Amino acid sequence: MSAIDKEKIVSSVPQKGFFGHPRGLFTLFFTEFWERFSYYGMRAILVFYMYYEVSKGGLGLDEQTALSIMSIYGSLVYMSGVIGGWLADRVFGTSKSVFYGGVLIMLGHIALALPGGLTAFFVSMVLIVIGTGLLKPNVSSMVGDMYAEQDDRRDAGFSIFYMGINLGGFLSPLIVGSVMGYSFHLGFGFAAIGMFFGLIMFLITKKKNLGLAGTYVANPLSPAEKKKVYLVMAGAVVLLGIILAVTIPTGLLTIKLFIALVGILGFLIPTIYFIVMYRSPKTTEVERSRVLAYIPLFLASVMFWSIQEQGSTILANFADKRTQLDIAGIHLSPAWFQSLNPLFIILLAPVFAWLWVRLGKRQPSIPQKFSLGLLFAGLSFLLILIPAYLGGTNSLVHPIWLVLSYLVVVIGELCLSPVGLSATTKLAPAAFSAQTMSLWFLSNAAAQGLNAQIVKFYRPETEMLYFGIIGLSAILLGIILFFVTPLIQRQMKGVR
Ligand code: C3H
């Protein structure tokens, strides 16, 4: 996209109308609110749906497998952003990708809402993985599209957008979690309705609010490329179909192997991405240097999300199995704990926004904020090992420990996540704008791919060691990142 195109797009978006931000932020805020409402509502009960006995409405899988599938599912959802970002940059543009993605997601939740057992679960997984890959990175990069390059409101815009994500993530576990005791399928039905509302909202308001944002294709395929690409794609789908048709019935492809393969892909795909972006003739010298600067930030982000995402697997299990759920005459649903992280985000995001503005030029640089993110993530795991240290792993612990752990990781999240989204749009080479956003989400995919392996080490006997090793690793990485900050900053070529 040339500079003039960028200017044309920005001027086509009404620049005021939503808390002093471009009016399109309203549309993107609520689209993402509903998408996250559906996704996190579904995830808040999915782990229980998988390991609860069939007599209790679950699928009756064993707990370790359920935890690994949760991580692998999360990893695939973020990994498919590669396809979504590519399709947006080269075929559809971001706006159409968001819409198509939303439709697939809704169908995925509908599949889960029907009592179809394991088959429906796998069908829904495929639909939601592809749908989220189309929607999630593209709705985020549309946020960046609405601001001029030097517009100071960009970071704040991403913080507001992040609030939308977390408002959805806060409300849905409460609603969906409350009906899970009655019927899991009803809970999944609420998720489908949420995505339906998001689609309607997007369709009704996009023309008026988003102008040209999302309507262009950043780096369209030439007719010759189109032919080649479609042929390769069709070949790949057929090949994949044949491989699955042979390996599943013969027992060659086990869940264990599949989980390992996704874990490997989680690191392989970003590596290829970095190489392609770095070597592309469409990437300028300055952009190349910024791609290099992005690598350590990416690695830090993997470590951070590895801990944060365990909030919905290991800590969800901790809420279910290790926590007193009857407090002051009230019975707590374990799914409700999933709302704590977003609740703290909503409460603390304005404090952080204020803090960064207040600190002005004295605020930590992007890599320093990332290192703070790691520090707090590590501390949140050290904190949750304390109850086992004090009382062993055979008794139930007071919910306050979980509350505190979720609070501390959120402080880290606010240092790293909205900053990461915004930094991605600043460091992205122009020809790879939506794809660089997919790269950001790949850090989460790699983290959850890694988690699918490490969650296997979590058992009551290993609890302290488990939280201790992971927590300390994050803190150590945070310290290293802090010391290499000047080096990274130099490579960023003026991006702050
Ligand atoms: O979803 C995103 O884009 C980024 N993630 C977030 O904003 C998280 N704060 C969501 S919290 C969580 C993953 C879901 C809550 O329903 C729970 C973590 C324990």
Side-chain angles (χ1 to χ4, degrees), residues 140-441:
S140 311
S141 76
M142 280 175 84
V143 176
D145 281 353
M146 297 185 304
Y147 296 91
E149 215 138 282
Q150 299 304 329
D151 192 330
D152 284 339
R153 297 173 304 169
R154 178 187 292 252
D155 280 17
F158 271 102
S159 297
I160 296 174
F161 181 69
Y162 209 68
M163 297 269 276
I165 291 178
N166 283 282
L167 204 56
F170 166 64
L171 291 174
S172 60
L174 295 179
I175 297 171
V176 175
S178 300
V179 299
M180 100 176 182
Y182 177 66
S183 155
F184 281 110
H185 299 295
L186 184 64
F188 297 129
F190 275 106
I193 293 170
M195 193 62 253
F196 174 72
F197 285 156
L199 277 169
I200 297 292
M201 236 289 309
F202 185 70
L203 273 185
I204 292 179
T205 62
K206 79 175 165 76
K207 201 155 189 183
K208 207 173 78 199
N209 292 352
L210 286 166
L212 293 173
T215 56
Y216 65 94
V217 182
N219 181 17
L221 289 174
S222 67
E225 279 175 321
K226 249 185 205 163
K227 222 166 148 187
K228 214 166 92 188
V229 163
Y230 291 154
L231 261 173
V232 171
M233 273 181 167
V237 171
V238 172
L239 189 70
L240 190 70
I242 295 174
I243 293 176
L244 293 179
V246 173
T247 53
I248 295 177
T250 52
L252 274 173
L253 183 65
T254 56
I255 287 202
K256 220 171 164 184
L257 180 65
F258 182 69
I259 289 171
L261 285 176
V262 175
I264 295 169
L265 279 182
F267 285 89
L268 194 65
I269 297 174
T271 310
I272 296 172
Y273 242 77
F274 275 117
I275 296 173
V276 170
M277 280 203 303
Y278 187 80
R279 297 186 56 179
S280 167
K282 289 177 182 155
T283 306
T284 65
E285 263 322 299
V286 169
E287 288 175 336
R288 217 161 264 153
S289 172
R290 289 178 180 161
V291 169
L292 286 184
Y294 199 72
I295 296 173
L297 300 182
F298 179 88
L299 292 174
S301 176
V302 173
M303 180 80 235
F304 173 81
W305 289 114
S306 165
I307 291 186
Q308 197 271 8
E309 288 290 353
Q310 288 188 53
S312 50
T313 54
I314 295 296
L315 295 193
N317 185 263
F318 191 95
D320 190 31
K321 296 279 159 76
R322 292 268 290 116
T323 309
Q324 295 165 21
L325 293 175
D326 289 298
I327 291 280
I330 301 170
H331 179 73
L332 307 173
S333 161
W336 291 348
F337 286 87
Q338 295 302 306
S339 286
L340 283 173
N341 170 307
L343 173 68
F344 289 136
I345 297 267
I346 293 162
L347 294 177
L348 292 179
V351 178
F352 274 76
W354 169 83
L355 186 72
W356 299 146
V357 174
R358 179 80 210 257
L359 287 173
K361 295 229 174 309
R362 284 172 304 133
Q363 69 178 286
S365 62
I366 294 170
Q368 281 168 342
K369 285 180 183 162
F370 269 58
S371 107
L372 285 172
L374 283 177
L375 190 74
F376 283 105
L379 284 177
S380 78
F381 260 31
L382 295 189
L383 211 132
I384 199 71
L385 71 72
I386 297 177
Y389 178 74
L390 295 177
T393 52
N394 285 325
S395 53
L396 293 180
V397 311
H398 195 280
I400 191 69
W401 291 106
L402 266 180
V403 176
L404 285 176
S405 178
Y406 279 122
L407 172 65
V408 171
V409 83
V410 159
I411 298 176
E413 190 170 336
L414 284 168
C415 292
L416 184 141
S417 186
V419 181
L421 279 172
S422 167
T424 301
T425 63
K426 293 185 210 166
L427 293 171
F432 295 90
S433 59
Q435 289 176 79
T436 315
M437 191 50 86
S438 319
L439 188 60
W440 169 249
F441 292 116

Side-chain angles (χ1 to χ4, degrees), residues 28 31-36 38 77 80-81 84-85 94-106 128-142 161 195 198-199 202 437 441:
L28 302 176
T31 307
E32 185 57 344
F33 163 85
W34 283 117
E35 185 271 329
R36 291 286 98 180
S38 68
V77 154
S80 64
T94 44
S95 182
K96 277 189 188 151
S97 304
V98 166
F99 179 72
Y100 298 151
V103 172
L104 293 180
I105 293 171
M106 186 181 67
I128 292 174
V129 163
I130 302 175
T132 314
L134 275 166
L135 189 150
K136 180 100 172 101
N138 294 320
V139 74
S140 311
S141 76
M142 280 175 84
F161 181 69
M195 193 62 253
L199 277 169
F202 185 70
M437 191 50 86
F441 292 116

